[in-house]
Amino acid sequence: MSDPTSDKPAIDFWFDFVSPYGYFASTRIDALAAAHGRSVRWRAFHMRSIMMDKLGQTTPLLDTPLKGDYLKRDVPRMARWFGLPMRSGGLANFRSSNASRAFLLIEERDAAAAKRFAAGVFESHHAKATPPNTPEQLLQIATEQEAVWPDLDLAAAIPTEAAKDRLRRSTDAAMAAGVWGTPSFVVDGEMFWGADRLGLVDEWLRRGGW
Amino acid sequence: MSDPTSDKPAIDFWFDFVSPYGYFASTRIDALAAAHGRSVRWRAFHMRSIMMDKLGQTTPLLDTPLKGDYLKRDVPRMARWFGLPMRSGGLANFRSSNASRAFLLIEERDAAAAKRFAAGVFESHHAKATPPNTPEQLLQIATEQEAVWPDLDLAAAIPTEAAKDRLRRSTDAAMAAGVWGTPSFVVDGEMFWGADRLGLVDEWLRRGGW
């Protein structure tokens, strides 16, 4: 999907709502891209499927010895660096699949509304420690973000097979693009993993690669 | 170990020679630290032990689906970014434990000589595609880097139980410091993982944390 105001291809921002690093990146990527005349397509995928099926990571990251301890220290440190509020609802208390299905249902209608909704989900889970798990909680966020339509019963649509299949297809598309972690950015076919690569994404856009 | 010219504690640079990101970082960390009046202690550890025993990663990174493909693309891209020659001897062709044992044997005598030796090992494996596996190859690098002593038979010392135990103890010390990946940097008890965090290490030193 290209920005109608630009001939340059959009940047793909791949994310799963579970990751605080995706939350950090979500607050920066649109402005970063706009400075280079680029738009951003936000694309939700299901990280857990890739971890289990492709990476062979059956232990949740936060429960992994040493690495989990590092992440628990790094996440608040990076939140301070980004200047963002951080009070996580906890990985164990949040399953992102309903939120991602809702995001994709909204994104089919209006990409800008879907970004507002996504920002609301990130904030609810990572800044307010209120992980939005249920269709009703997600409908509330969609309503707050004006991402609702009279002919879309979002809460009813989230658990349908069609919505589940849509998330599976998005996850397949992520893997086809080479995505294996969240957040990831794809710029003209070049993938970058991690919120701490935003500076390199910026440099790649400025220099046109290297 | 503190820099005798400074009251500020040294930075620990933890590395395993296998990682190209450790090679990249090794070319920058001393100058980065010196700009803040800090010295650096280079500390070899055995990454594979931590991967197997702690992280539960039994598949080598480069053989991991998707992630391996990303690394194969990212490593040359980051080599270009750092402006460093890159022609890897390949993970499968290199076991770093002999090189790390040699490093520790040299480091007990002379930390500066050990850094020169380490730079030679990194270059041999990552820039010249000649992985130094054998005690004889490592002795040659030590000789080229003037890291030899008449009373130290390096090639004979590398495979001894004492040298193996020294590497095990260094790996235990790495884990005790929270290290789970290579390269890692510890600044005043604060750990940072990855060559792409060098900028944040610099900022941490400049700001005194945040």
Side-chain angles (χ1 to χ4, degrees):
Chain A
M1 190 193 297
S2 293
D3 182 339
T5 67
S6 166
D7 289 338
K8 297 175 185 167
I11 293 166
D12 279 329
F13 165 45
W14 289 100
F15 65 92
D16 185 311
F17 288 111
V18 295
S19 168
Y21 300 101
Y23 158 54
F24 304 153
S26 74
T27 67
R28 299 287 177 96
I29 187 63
D30 278 31
L32 188 160
H36 302 281
R38 301 278 190 135
S39 62
V40 182
R41 181 175 178 192
W42 291 29
R43 308 188 70 169
F45 72 101
H46 194 220
M47 184 63 214
R48 191 175 161 81
S49 297
I50 295 179
M51 283 183 69
M52 303 285 281
D53 300 345
K54 293 288 174 179
L55 306 182
Q57 287 179 15
T58 51
T59 305
L61 281 180
L62 289 182
D63 296 337
T64 304
L66 300 171
K67 193 169 185 172
D69 294 333
Y70 177 74
L71 293 174
K72 285 170 197 159
R73 190 168 180 100
D74 188 55
V75 165
R77 179 172 69 184
M78 292 310 294
R80 296 194 302 273
W81 188 83
F82 277 101
L84 291 169
M86 182 80 215
R87 188 164 160 256
S88 174
L91 276 191
N93 300 319
F94 183 45
R95 297 294 289 267
S96 62
S97 44
N98 275 344
S100 295
R101 289 172 198 147
F103 171 84
L104 292 170
L105 286 162
I106 294 168
E107 203 249 355
E108 284 172 353
R109 302 248 176 160
D110 183 338
K115 289 186 186 186
R116 293 196 305 272
F117 170 78
V121 171
F122 276 127
E123 189 182 352
S124 180
H125 178 46
H126 295 289
K128 295 182 178 168
T130 50
N133 282 301
T134 66
E136 290 70 28
Q137 288 171 307
L138 293 160
L139 174 60
Q140 189 185 328
I141 292 174
T143 305
E144 288 163 5
Q145 300 295 337
E146 300 183 19
V148 288
W149 290 266
D151 63 332
L152 174 63
D153 184 342
L154 188 67
I158 288 170
T160 60
E161 277 307 312
K164 291 177 184 175
D165 185 59
R166 180 73 190 79
L167 179 55
R168 274 191 291 266
R169 281 186 284 121
S170 189
T171 304
D172 288 343
M175 288 189 280
V179 170
W180 56 273
T182 177
S184 292
F185 315 94
V186 181
V187 183
D188 303 337
E190 198 74 24
M191 194 178 78
F192 297 86
W193 165 66
D196 43 14
R197 286 290 181 92
L198 279 170
L200 283 183
V201 170
D202 188 52
E203 190 172 334
W204 188 271
L205 286 163
R206 179 169 54 78
R207 295 170 59 185
W210 59 78
Chain B
M1 189 192 298
S2 292
D3 182 338
T5 67
S6 165
D7 289 338
K8 297 176 186 167
I11 293 166
D12 278 330
F13 165 45
W14 290 99
F15 64 92
D16 185 311
F17 288 111
V18 295
S19 168
Y21 300 101
Y23 158 55
F24 303 153
S26 73
T27 67
R28 298 288 176 96
I29 186 64
D30 278 31
L32 188 161
H36 301 281
R38 300 278 190 134
S39 62
V40 182
R41 182 176 177 192
W42 290 29
R43 306 187 71 167
F45 72 100
H46 194 220
M47 183 63 214
R48 191 176 160 82
S49 297
I50 296 179
M51 282 182 70
M52 303 284 282
D53 300 345
K54 293 287 174 180
L55 306 182
Q57 286 179 15
T58 50
T59 306
L61 280 180
L62 289 183
D63 296 338
T64 304
L66 300 171
K67 194 169 184 171
D69 294 331
Y70 177 73
L71 292 174
K72 285 170 200 160
R73 189 171 179 98
D74 189 54
V75 165
R77 180 172 68 183
M78 292 311 294
R80 296 193 303 272
W81 187 83
F82 277 100
L84 291 169
M86 182 78 215
R87 187 163 161 258
S88 174
L91 276 191
N93 299 320
F94 182 46
R95 297 294 288 267
S96 62
S97 43
N98 275 344
S100 295
R101 289 171 198 147
F103 171 84
L104 292 169
L105 287 162
I106 296 169
E107 203 250 355
E108 282 172 353
R109 303 249 175 160
D110 183 338
K115 290 185 185 186
R116 294 195 305 272
F117 170 77
V121 172
F122 276 127
E123 188 183 352
S124 181
H125 177 46
H126 295 290
K128 294 181 178 169
T130 50
N133 283 301
T134 67
E136 291 70 27
Q137 288 171 309
L138 293 159
L139 174 59
Q140 189 185 328
I141 291 174
T143 306
E144 289 164 4
Q145 300 295 337
E146 299 181 21
V148 287
W149 291 266
D151 63 333
L152 173 64
D153 185 341
L154 187 67
I158 288 170
T160 60
E161 276 307 311
K164 290 178 184 175
D165 186 57
R166 179 73 191 79
L167 180 55
R168 274 191 291 264
R169 282 186 283 121
S170 189
T171 303
D172 288 344
M175 288 189 281
V179 169
W180 56 273
T182 178
S184 292
F185 316 94
V186 181
V187 183
D188 303 338
E190 197 74 25
M191 193 178 81
F192 297 85
W193 165 66
D196 43 13
R197 285 289 181 94
L198 280 170
L200 282 182
V201 170
D202 188 54
E203 190 171 334
W204 189 271
L205 287 163
R206 179 168 54 78
R207 295 170 60 183
W210 59 79

